[in-house]
């Protein structure tokens, strides 16, 4: 049923509904704006989501008791609400969110999505973000859509027939842009170190941001690279144009980029639009360790907030303050480690707070979340070098990590290794 307004489309919601919201750059913010307007008429609505764009209006304290956000990943629009107890964070591997829905463990009453207009066969596309939304659409009792002519039409698990949508509203608006960051000397150095670990024929998983972009910028002399990832951004485009990324060495989806969402510039969105070279698949599949490991030479490149001297990687919180989420880091760290010739890389600047704090620390901050365990960690990279930790003892790990810490902290870290861990470094 076509509706004139978002509020009209959302009027089929009921008190206590559990609602999934498509996330990332495909966030249906036009519907969320309407939801914020009508939520005071309802009791105890729950909005489940990953990171959402342009959704700050849902953090209005006036919505308490009417609408509460439940986040599997935390971003700028929900971070303060999570940290002050006005929203909830659910730590869970990204690959397991669809299982949560399909098993019925997490009931879903409705799904809010943003789609491209229907094609001549009546099929809309979820566009640049499939993630857990495919599973949500299979389980939700009500589907409410924003049909946006500017949403790219993507291939893979992204299609939904207009007849499967209960209500929809049409409105044209550009996709949120995430433009490449300016690379500073620290980021460039990290990118060079990470690139030194990449070989011809490798299959890459990388995220968004300066470190992945810096790494990709250093791969101009490589050959036959592939991409199987949970997301990608603009950094892959020059390598595709130059024939460096070919995806021909992959065993799964040879010749194609595999992802579950994308976020970047308009050039990126234009590239994925109606492009069969890129397949957007269910995150239960893209992040399945059993799928990832089937490709040879998988290299997983992820980041962290803090690493302790035993190799524990904190990636979702600053102490007890939730900053982001578990996401797919462990899915790909494990998948890459099990891949024939695979490697898992955690890359991060050596310091924070303008050089006042070492990100490599003797102990993690109290409450810090261990996303990658010391048993799973492989390579840690900072601007000062590479520490290979897999198969190494605690003493060997501490020495290797101190060597890639910022020089002004190395003496203190060596003393703390002795005092905290009883290690002779």
């Amino acid at each position: 049923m076509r509706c004139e307004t978002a509020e009209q489309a959302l009027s089929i919601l009921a008190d206590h509904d559990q609602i999934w919201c498509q996330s990332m750059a495909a966030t249906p913010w036009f519907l969320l704006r309407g939801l914020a307007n009508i939520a005071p008429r309802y009791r105890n609505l729950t909005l489940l989501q990953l990171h959402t764009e342009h959704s700050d209006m849902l953090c209005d304290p006036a919505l308490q008791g009417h609408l509460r956000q439940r986040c599997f990943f935390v971003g700028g629009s929900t971070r303060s609400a999570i940290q002050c107890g006005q929203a909830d964070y659910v730590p869970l591997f990204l690959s397991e969110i669809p299982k949560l829905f399909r098993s019925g463990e997490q009931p879903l009453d409705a799904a809010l999505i943003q789609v491209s207009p229907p094609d001549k066969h009546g099929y809309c596309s979820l566009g640049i973000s499939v993630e857990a939304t495919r599973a949500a659409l299979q389980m939700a009792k009500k589907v409410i859509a924003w049909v946006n002519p500017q949403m790219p039409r993507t291939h893979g698990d992204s299609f939904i027939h207009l007849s499967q949508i209960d209500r929809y509203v049409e409105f044209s608006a550009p996709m949120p842009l995430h433009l490449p960051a300016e690379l500073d000397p620290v980021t460039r150095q990290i990118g060079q170190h990470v690139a030194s670990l990449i070989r011809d024929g490798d299959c890459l998983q990388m995220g968004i941001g300066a470190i992945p972009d810096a790494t990709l910028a250093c791969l101009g002399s490589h050959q036959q690279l592939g991409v199987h990832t949970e997301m990608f951004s603009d950094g892959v485009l020059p390598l595709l144009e130059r024939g460096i990324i070919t995806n021909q060495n992959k065993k799964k989806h040879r010749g194609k980029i595999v992802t579950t969402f994308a976020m970047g510039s308009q050039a990126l969105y234009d590239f994925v639009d109606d492009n069969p070279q890129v397949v957007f698949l269910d995150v239960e599949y893209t992040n399945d360790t059993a799928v990832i490991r089937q490709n040879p030479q998988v290299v997983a490149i992820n980041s962290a907030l803090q690493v302790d001297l035993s190799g524990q990687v904190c990636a979702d919180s600053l102490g007890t303050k939730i900053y982001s989420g578990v996401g797919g880091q462990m899915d790909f760290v494990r998948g890459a480690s099990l891949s024939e010739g695979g490697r898992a890389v955690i890359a991060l600047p050596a310091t924070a707070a303008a050089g006042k704090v070492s990100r490599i620390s003797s102990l993690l901050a109290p409450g810090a979340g261990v996303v990658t365990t010391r048993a799973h960690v492989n390579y840690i990279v900072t601007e000062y070098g590479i520490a290979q930790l897999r198969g190494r003892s605690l003493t060997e790990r501490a020495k290797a990590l101190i060597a890639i810490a910022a020089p002004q902290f190395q003496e203190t870290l060596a003393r703390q290794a002795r005092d905290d861990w009883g290690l002779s470094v």
Side-chain angles (χ1 to χ4, degrees):
M1 173 183 169
R2 184 181 182 279
C3 299
E4 295 300 321
T5 66
E7 289 82 357
Q8 181 187 1
L10 293 160
S11 65
I12 58 173
L13 296 176
D15 290 345
H16 310 292
D17 270 358
Q18 303 277 320
I19 308 162
W20 170 255
C21 178
Q22 187 181 3
S23 302
M24 310 303 180
T27 301
W29 57 263
F30 185 69
L31 293 178
L32 296 183
R33 191 170 67 184
L35 183 61
N37 290 336
I38 68 169
R41 308 175 197 169
Y42 294 89
R43 290 180 298 166
N44 298 324
L45 297 176
T46 300
L47 189 73
L48 298 92
Q49 64 199 69
L50 294 165
H51 164 69
T52 50
E53 291 284 315
H54 303 320
S55 62
D56 302 75
M57 77 291 285
L58 299 180
C59 296
D60 187 340
L63 297 181
Q64 290 188 45
H66 303 285
L67 175 71
R68 189 170 179 88
Q69 297 185 83
R70 188 172 178 87
C71 308
F72 296 96
F73 200 89
V74 178
S77 62
T78 53
R79 192 169 292 130
S80 61
I82 292 286
Q83 292 180 357
C84 71
Q86 293 181 356
D88 298 306
Y89 167 59
V90 182
L92 191 69
F93 293 140
L94 189 53
S95 61
E96 293 189 352
I97 300 173
K99 293 182 174 71
L100 202 69
F101 299 159
R102 290 184 172 119
S103 68
E105 187 177 351
Q106 171 59 65
L108 287 178
D109 299 293
L112 308 184
I113 58 176
Q114 181 184 176
V115 296
S116 68
D119 62 16
K120 64 181 181 180
H121 303 292
Y123 284 94
C124 304
S125 170
L126 293 169
I128 52 179
S129 192
V130 169
E131 17 86 6
T133 298
R134 167 55 53 200
L137 291 173
Q138 292 169 346
M139 303 305 296
K141 303 177 183 70
K142 296 167 280 194
V143 177
I144 304 167
W146 164 22
V147 177
N148 185 358
Q150 298 192 51
M151 170 65 80
R153 180 180 182 272
T154 62
H155 293 244
D157 291 332
S158 64
F159 294 112
I160 178 172
H161 198 273
L162 191 63
S163 64
Q164 297 173 291
I165 296 172
D166 296 286
R167 291 193 178 184
Y168 67 92
V169 61
E170 296 176 301
F171 179 73
S172 182
M175 294 295 101
L177 302 182
H178 192 289
L179 301 179
E182 192 70 32
L183 301 182
D184 59 33
V186 169
T187 303
R188 291 182 187 278
Q189 189 62 57
I190 295 172
Q192 289 173 10
H193 288 315
V194 175
S196 73
L197 296 171
I198 297 174
R199 309 164 189 157
D200 289 347
D202 280 350
C203 180
L204 306 180
Q205 175 260 326
M206 79 297 289
I208 190 171
I211 291 176
D213 286 347
T215 301
L216 292 167
C218 295
L219 300 181
S221 61
H222 284 64
Q223 298 179 24
Q224 299 293 323
L225 297 179
V227 176
H228 180 115
T229 186
E230 73 183 38
M231 74 86 58
F232 71 97
S233 191
D234 286 72
V236 305
L237 296 181
L239 299 181
L240 284 161
E241 292 169 1
R242 296 168 61 184
I244 293 167
I245 292 177
T246 65
N247 295 293
Q248 292 301 318
N249 199 42
K250 296 166 61 177
K251 291 185 177 179
K252 301 289 289 184
H253 305 277
R254 181 171 291 159
K256 296 183 183 294
I257 291 175
V258 171
T259 190
T260 194
F261 66 95
M263 189 169 186
S265 70
Q266 188 60 48
L268 179 75
Y269 301 148
D270 292 342
F271 171 75
V272 302
D273 183 37
D274 206 19
N275 186 348
Q277 183 184 0
V278 186
V279 286
F280 286 73
L281 302 178
D282 189 320
V283 74
E284 185 174 348
Y285 177 87
T286 62
N287 287 37
D288 185 342
T289 300
V291 172
I292 296 165
R293 69 180 297 183
Q294 291 182 53
N295 285 317
Q297 298 178 222
V298 174
V299 179
I301 305 166
N302 289 279
S303 193
L305 297 170
Q306 188 181 25
V307 179
D308 76 10
L309 290 181
S310 76
Q312 295 187 113
V313 176
C314 170
D316 70 343
S317 68
L318 299 169
T320 58
K321 299 295 185 182
I322 302 300
Y323 185 80
S324 55
V326 172
Q329 182 173 122
M330 264 303 302
D331 296 330
F332 278 93
V333 164
R334 191 60 179 151
S337 296
L338 294 172
S339 162
E340 182 180 352
R343 282 137 281 145
V345 180
I346 303 293
L348 71 164
T351 64
K356 297 176 183 177
V357 176
S358 176
R359 289 180 181 264
I360 294 176
S361 58
S362 178
L363 304 172
L364 295 181
V370 177
V371 171
T372 295
T373 77
R374 57 171 72 109
H376 290 99
V377 73
N378 190 177
Y379 290 97
I380 304 292
V381 176
T382 72
E383 65 269 31
Y384 296 101
I386 301 169
Q388 200 287 108
L389 303 187
R390 185 161 59 188
R392 292 194 170 188
S393 70
L394 290 181
T395 298
E396 292 164 339
R397 287 164 178 247
K399 288 180 178 179
L401 287 167
I402 291 170
I404 64 166
Q408 66 267 33
F409 295 106
Q410 290 182 358
E411 183 178 343
T412 298
L413 286 169
R415 183 177 67 252
Q416 291 172 336
R418 295 189 292 270
D419 295 345
D420 295 336
W421 296 89
L423 302 176
S424 298
V425 296

